[in-house]
Amino acid sequence: MREFTFTIEYERGTDPIMDAFIDDPDAVARSLDGFVTEERFWRIERIAGSPATLDRIEEIRFDDDTCGESLTERDCEATRYHDVLERGENRLVVYTYLDGISACESVHTLSGKHLPPGLVFETLRSENRHSWRVLMRSDAKVGVLYDELAARLRDGLSFRMGHLRDADGWQRDSLASVSVAAEQRAALQAAVEDGYYETPRETTLDELADELDVPRSTLSYRLRQAESQLARRYVADDERDRWLR
């Protein structure tokens, strides 16, 4: 398998979704997209940001009169379906399905036009950048795709080439949250709330173990397991950010 990466940069006012990220520099969105045919695709997008930014993005996503896919001045025609899979104070996960796509020049449709079936996309939105990673079975026509992507961009959008190489790192689940067992989560929450991770520490492992009514060795094990999960997720996210930016 091969992968092709690139970034499209947006000026303010050229795309309502990207304007939300431009206005909130701390907001970030990662998506996993599956391209079925030139007429349909699905996307699961995980967005982190302020409650106001999440409200704004959710409103845009659910507005069928707003196209968030086209690279040109002409909006994509399609039947759109959206669903909120998860919503928290600073987290939003949205499922999107487009069917009956026509008159559309988007990354998905142009890639489907030139690359073999079975495409998968991983993307990152941050500030004015929408970075793409395309997984494909063959890169025989990727040069044609590159030329067409760069040529189709409407005013206010610019194309920045990434790399073309053998696919690497796709075994990671870019959308999964950190999976921590309930007892590990309870131990970690108590440790944070009681100041175990403060400098200097405001509580000891023995005091935490008494509070939770578990042996000291059990608490220590649960904390190590939870910390290990968090560390691995942090490293995985950091690696993805490096190639996407």
Side-chain angles (χ1 to χ4, degrees):
M1 302 293 283
R2 300 282 284 171
E3 66 177 27
F4 175 45
T5 71
F6 56 89
T7 295
I8 298 175
E9 297 182 347
Y10 290 73
E11 294 180 7
R12 185 186 298 276
T14 57
D15 183 272
I17 289 288
M18 293 307 302
D19 281 350
F21 292 94
I22 293 172
D23 292 340
D24 183 358
D26 293 328
V28 63
R30 293 180 175 86
S31 80
L32 186 68
D33 306 17
F35 185 79
V36 182
T37 69
E38 289 186 46
E39 296 181 351
R40 59 183 63 90
F41 84 90
W42 59 263
R43 173 180 58 230
I44 299 177
E45 188 171 30
R46 185 186 65 183
I47 309 151
S50 69
T53 297
L54 299 186
D55 288 343
R56 179 179 176 182
I57 292 173
E58 184 176 346
E59 182 178 357
I60 296 170
R61 279 285 182 233
F62 280 78
D63 181 1
D64 287 341
D65 293 330
T66 301
C67 175
E69 318 302 331
S70 178
L71 300 174
T72 68
E73 297 291 348
R74 184 175 183 179
D75 289 347
C76 297
E77 298 176 8
T79 300
R80 295 175 169 84
Y81 174 82
H82 304 282
D83 195 9
V84 174
L85 301 182
E86 182 179 342
R87 177 63 196 262
E89 183 178 3
N90 301 108
R91 174 184 172 89
L92 174 67
V93 182
V94 178
Y95 168 81
T96 295
Y97 179 70
L98 265 64
D99 193 12
I101 300 171
S102 64
C104 183
E105 292 181 315
S106 68
V107 172
H108 299 96
T109 58
L110 293 176
S111 297
K113 177 181 177 182
H114 299 295
L115 301 178
L119 299 172
V120 177
F121 305 83
E122 189 179 37
T123 84
L124 172 69
R125 294 182 194 257
S126 178
E127 298 182 340
N128 70 326
R129 299 179 301 275
H130 192 184
S131 299
W132 293 77
R133 189 184 193 194
V134 185
L135 178 69
M136 53 198 166
R137 292 187 290 113
S138 169
D139 61 9
K141 295 185 178 180
V142 75
V144 179
L145 172 62
Y146 167 81
D147 291 339
E148 192 157 10
L149 284 172
R152 296 293 186 185
L153 298 183
R154 63 181 179 270
D155 291 343
L157 277 62
S158 57
F159 185 90
R160 180 158 57 90
M161 178 70 172
H163 61 247
L164 175 65
R165 66 186 183 190
D166 289 338
D168 176 59
W170 285 83
Q171 73 275 12
R172 305 185 189 96
D173 182 354
S174 65
L175 296 172
S177 59
V178 179
S179 178
V180 178
E183 63 272 13
Q184 295 170 15
R185 187 179 299 276
L188 192 61
Q189 182 175 352
V192 171
E193 291 176 351
D194 289 7
Y196 180 73
Y197 293 106
E198 298 296 326
T199 304
R201 284 180 172 169
E202 298 173 1
T203 190
T204 66
L205 202 59
D206 289 322
E207 290 170 338
L208 279 174
D210 289 341
E211 177 185 336
L212 296 173
D213 194 24
V214 296
R216 184 182 190 278
S217 59
T218 299
L219 175 61
S220 178
Y221 173 78
R222 290 176 180 176
L223 286 177
R224 288 199 308 272
Q225 291 297 105
E227 291 162 358
S228 175
Q229 291 280 356
L230 291 171
R232 283 197 291 267
R233 181 54 194 247
Y234 176 83
V235 170
D237 281 351
D238 185 60
E239 288 178 357
R240 273 191 297 274
D241 288 350
R242 281 200 295 271
W243 63 252
L244 282 168
R245 289 186 181 275

